[in-house]
Amino acid sequence: MTDHHDIFAGRESQVRSYCRSFPHVLTTGLGTLVRDTEGEEYIDFLAGAGSLNYGHNDPDMKAALIEYISGNGITQGLDLHTVAKGNFLTAFEELILEPRGMDYRVQFTGPTGTNAVEAALKLARKVTGRSNVIAFTNAFHGGSAGSLAATGNRHHRMGGQGLHSVTRMPYEGYFGNGVDTSEHLAQMLADQSSGVDTPAAIILETLQGEGGLNVASSEWLQRIASIAAEHGALLIIDDIQAGCGRTGTFFSFEDMGVQPDLVVLSKSVSGFGIPMSLLLIRPELDQWLPGEHNGTFRGNGHAFITAEVALRKFWSTAVFEETVRQRAAQLHDGLTEISAMIPGSRVKGRGIMQGLDVLDENVSTAVRQTCIANGLLIEAAGPRDEVIKIMAPLTTDEATLDRGLEILRAAVVEHLEGSRTRELVG
Amino acid sequence: MTDHHDIFAGRESQVRSYCRSFPHVLTTGLGTLVRDTEGEEYIDFLAGAGSLNYGHNDPDMKAALIEYISGNGITQGLDLHTVAKGNFLTAFEELILEPRGMDYRVQFTGPTGTNAVEAALKLARKVTGRSNVIAFTNAFHGGSAGSLAATGNRHHRMGGQGLHSVTRMPYEGYFGNGVDTSEHLAQMLADQSSGVDTPAAIILETLQGEGGLNVASSEWLQRIASIAAEHGALLIIDDIQAGCGRTGTFFSFEDMGVQPDLVVLSKSVSGFGIPMSLLLIRPELDQWLPGEHNGTFRGNGHAFITAEVALRKFWSTAVFEETVRQRAAQLHDGLTEISAMIPGSRVKGRGIMQGLDVLDENVSTAVRQTCIANGLLIEAAGPRDEVIKIMAPLTTDEATLDRGLEILRAAVVEHLEGSRTRELVG
Amino acid sequence: MTDHHDIFAGRESQVRSYCRSFPHVLTTGLGTLVRDTEGEEYIDFLAGAGSLNYGHNDPDMKAALIEYISGNGITQGLDLHTVAKGNFLTAFEELILEPRGMDYRVQFTGPTGTNAVEAALKLARKVTGRSNVIAFTNAFHGGSAGSLAATGNRHHRMGGQGLHSVTRMPYEGYFGNGVDTSEHLAQMLADQSSGVDTPAAIILETLQGEGGLNVASSEWLQRIASIAAEHGALLIIDDIQAGCGRTGTFFSFEDMGVQPDLVVLSKSVSGFGIPMSLLLIRPELDQWLPGEHNGTFRGNGHAFITAEVALRKFWSTAVFEETVRQRAAQLHDGLTEISAMIPGSRVKGRGIMQGLDVLDENVSTAVRQTCIANGLLIEAAGPRDEVIKIMAPLTTDEATLDRGLEILRAAVVEHLEGSRTRELVG
Amino acid sequence: MTDHHDIFAGRESQVRSYCRSFPHVLTTGLGTLVRDTEGEEYIDFLAGAGSLNYGHNDPDMKAALIEYISGNGITQGLDLHTVAKGNFLTAFEELILEPRGMDYRVQFTGPTGTNAVEAALKLARKVTGRSNVIAFTNAFHGGSAGSLAATGNRHHRMGGQGLHSVTRMPYEGYFGNGVDTSEHLAQMLADQSSGVDTPAAIILETLQGEGGLNVASSEWLQRIASIAAEHGALLIIDDIQAGCGRTGTFFSFEDMGVQPDLVVLSKSVSGFGIPMSLLLIRPELDQWLPGEHNGTFRGNGHAFITAEVALRKFWSTAVFEETVRQRAAQLHDGLTEISAMIPGSRVKGRGIMQGLDVLDENVSTAVRQTCIANGLLIEAAGPRDEVIKIMAPLTTDEATLDRGLEILRAAVVEHLEGSRTRELVG
């Protein structure tokens, strides 16, 4: 097997990112483990940035996919009817929508998250005839120049080209616990002279993945929903990263007492890491004309197959949800213990989307480098990458989760001892 | 096998489009043929809107893909190094870039065409520090609100929200053969008071797929390239639909005497209908910072596997190109013959991306409906869908192409006779 | 003398506003008094919306102006040198800039406030190479589509067309006394992922005239200035309404411990109600190219003449400032007394730019109608016109100010008694 | 009398422009002549850039203005009713609208041209609910960031910040005489996929003042008007520079067979060089809400007085129009004669708004410098200032016009001889 490093260095764009801190060349993955060309095995707490909630190469999805390909199933069907799509829709209706008493139309957009966010924003503007959109600090909704306007990260925004018609408001807790930022929004929308135009939509994540694992409470979310309703604005929940079971329920907002007008799903909706995105639309808002929004890869047959298996395997009963909740508790305990070693640090997030805010990006980087050296793939979040973020597959077993947490704990200890030594020596 | 029509009608968004004129439910595809739940077989001259240049389920790609999946190959790798990606890059360098004397860095963007166009526009604006972009009449570059600004179709644009910093210029031939529209652009850019700002980039398709199969000549394209160079603007060729062999060469512009600064590939680059997109960047323009533009699904392992097979199978020798050229000639002859029956109609396009401008969308619709009834899947292009468009897989054999053309010919005859009868009776 | 009402009703646009509540036809004005075609006299607490700080037809300005016109002085000089402009600049340097230790270049823009604001924003964007601008809730900076982006009033904004590159932040006190809104701005600008781009400028009024007489403190203003400096953003003070002595000093910010980068003056700068605007520019920021921003009426000879007289008459000694302060105190006492009669009401503003927030626009409207019926021209401010606003000429004498306050007091009493009667009857 | 040069150089912004080529300090003006502090007299063919159509200090306007000021007439009345405004409206109705069979509502905007253009664009967008506006190459409609979007000159546009929702089309003759640019517009608006959104308005000058004295024909203008009507777009004629008699009729379009929806007047509407602007609105389009667009100086009493005198003195009979036509013919003959001396040059424009396109900005600059040295104030127009532009007051007598033309002729001769000498020597 050739060493591919020359081709990556010489031919791939400078834009590449994850591979700079993890320069190994991966070959295979199974469940929570990945393997490289050197034969080394790594615990994967990155999980395709949330697109591998059921781990690598789930055997049931894999079998169904191989069967489908073997039988010359339609791979790419645009928006034509296919059996694979029909089966997925049926499963989605039976296992997701109906049990939750939800009624949404399903739009298959281009298979990236930003494609689906674009569709949501465009539909909200079409339906309301308004252009302004409320988005929140530290939000991430994608990188196309339209969705980009709704994204917070300055690094991605490059000076704001195209930041048109988005008003930025503080997310819950942005100004500390004492300040109810939903009241800021309420006041500014009620005030005819605030400078904030009545919006087409309010878009938010209930748990900000890239923004640093900031968590919205049910109370705050309900207040935002009622503000949206009061002003005739659509509530769009971007569940790209926090959805598909990541927080312990299929949708991140299930137990929070709100009914969004539009819901964006992507990342783990195919279950297998295959590109797929959905926009869920309250039926009365499904005012698209045929073909008004499109995208070549909106009918990905392979994704329909694995997505259906994922739904039937994990969402037919309550077992999986219960397991995720146990693992989330285990994760929380583990992180809390580690946090106690770092003064000022704190545990953030919920479900299996938690992390450790170590306050200092240098600490975060050093600890993660040690983790990688010791066989744990792990990433960071937050404006300065100051939050060490755990996105283990939801199917990670108790022992593997413990093993990963132990590597993290040891890396923190090593860093702290190194710091102490450096202080003593320095 | 259940009839899925209820689930599509009741649950899928109104935005669905192709399935309205072709309501059958597809099951399998092989080469140029697809089959539905009724057991009917159709010749597919739609080919996934250009994403199935090598037909459905090519056996070599299929075998490699099943092998990869069976071996638990990495499905979704973000921008981490994987063997699959390294192999693809190596093949792309050896078989595409080096033989053509081209030197480009490869950026893996989110796997839809619009993702890659967004990256191109963003990079052009970053590198030049300018915001205006020149795009042409009848262009299609995607539907996200940034790319959308560069897209012509009013149906998709919904009143121009976000049409910021794009100046629209007439494509070659837009005002008839006597008018050299490149001189319009030259004059307006040279004029300090024309109202057109010096652009970051000029973006174009050499052959406008959605716009009606309008063809740019080498002379015009070279003139545009020299205008871009003169004003320090990047030349971006959007080869999403016309690339990957569609016109008879791998890139649509290979024999046209220009060296674009950025090239956008998508649709058929994976070879199998799996979502994948590339942005090719002249090395000195690869000024991205790490992670400055991203997208979860930018490392699609399945696509790397089939894409490599596609390159090795079809682009190692000149045989495939030669075959495509023969088939293109066959197509041109067939269409020319049919065109002779319809007064005023004309054949447009090049390669296996040709069509018949029948001038009237009602004729276009009627003829295509008859085609579908007789077993031929076929689409339309142009501002009013007035061009019947043939996008057969490049691997379509001579007999199948003839069979498809015969169905089209018969449909035209039927339409003409019907018209005549209606005239006599009416 | 004809009754002109027919011509106004039949020929003037529906956009007319003040004349709807004050339908009388004015003939002459002198000092604080105006007279109509019926011979009725009114105390003018509107003062040309702040453009008549020295009252109507000041005799010294009037004499100088008549002399200038009689002598065929240049009326309209574009940006050519004229003696009138030279004399004004000399007086402005000697009487305004030098005594205050200020060093600014003077740009004569088109003579409306919005023209000068446009120049300020354009220059800030040019100098910094950035596009975003921070503006505050309830701000008013003009109605052209560029300045409009920086203006809060929704009524004027018509859905935000052109609200590009302005980020709206809460003014001091917007969320109540406990919340330091400057810290919101500081936090959002420091946060790389807040969604607020580093701005070219922060623009503000120290006392929001249209926004409801909201007052910035020195502490808050200094904090804003230091935030601007920290991020390399220009501090623009829009002193269109609060400048030219309105708050008791020539500039509203003189005693507040800040040195703005750009200062916008208009309204009363000509002293006589003649259109004139200035942009003051810190010398090192005067990076305009010749003619880069223009406007036909930027050299208004008549305005230069009266403006120079205004400076020499009122700003050569400290007497005028002292008188204004006394009158401001008198006004404050009078309003405080009236406020005591209305539960919940409060006095807002400073200098001779104070008002009574009566909380309810109906009360505000009813009271002002009674005032007009009793000979007092008076206007409202605030998002819902809930603040009765007193903008008497600064030259108003003690007795006339008392007379006006008495009319206001009586109108309030009448309203309160009417309310009580309505309650008893109803 | 002091030399003011120090104060201008030290204190006025670098943005100043005209005074760089004409550094003398003006004192007085009468009719077509101005005088400086050295006692030198200059013929003024600049005429306040078109704001002094009736010359400097017309004795009748002057007398009326002095009488009004002496009698304490209202100087600044916001949009309150005043006798002065009523009288102006009556005169405007009787002398301008009624004789021409025109019915427009009159909006008094802020008194600069750009203020009125802003009002026109805002109203067009409000009435149609659309955002795009068609503007033409080489157009000048003002410098505020909204109007700026409709302005062509790159020097003023600074990279296009705020060029939102304007589509640029070629003016008549832009691509030479053989190309009918109105058909370009017609084709692009009819084409659903052209990339040009259906506009709210088409805005144009019938004679482009800053753009180089380009003239629209009646045929072209009628075609544009019919295109606007067909698409439900408003036709806005910006008559700021070409109106008020400049072309020989009060409106520049009077004899051209079109009825614009909105007409913008400014510059010479006050007649005396005093700032004043009007927007004329077809009654059914007067859909403003009260106060929806405003501006402090929209009720300029002095301007109403002189404007009324101007109308009564010059527009009560046909004598003035006839005289202007004679003078225009004289000007055309004079320029034609001079043009014959310069190979390739040509006479452009119409009315007393004509010029000589000398093709080369260096020639233009050299000739104008000689003119100034010899007592003639004269300016340039066109993208590169290549057109020497004559904007003499309309009241200029035959002898003075001849005198000015002779100075120009001599300057051209001197330049040509100098060139010949330089060639011989060089």
Side-chain angles (χ1 to χ4, degrees), chain D residues 219-242:
Chain D
E219 294 67 33
W220 188 82
L221 185 60
Q222 288 168 23
R223 181 73 178 112
I224 295 294
S226 88
I227 293 166
E230 184 185 346
H231 292 279
L234 305 196
L235 178 65
I236 306 174
I237 293 190
D238 174 343
D239 231 17
I240 292 175
Q241 189 162 141

Side-chain angles (χ1 to χ4, degrees), chain A residues 99-113:
Chain A
R100 288 162 182 79
M102 294 165 89
D103 185 13
Y104 288 97
R105 293 279 178 76
V106 178
Q107 178 180 0
F108 298 97
T109 68
T112 70

Side-chain angles (χ1 to χ4, degrees), chain A residues 171-189:
Chain A
Y171 196 72
E172 184 172 13
Y174 191 75
F175 294 127
N177 287 330
V179 182
D180 180 354
T181 60
S182 68
E183 292 311 315
H184 291 197
L185 178 60
Q187 182 174 338
M188 290 180 91
L189 290 183

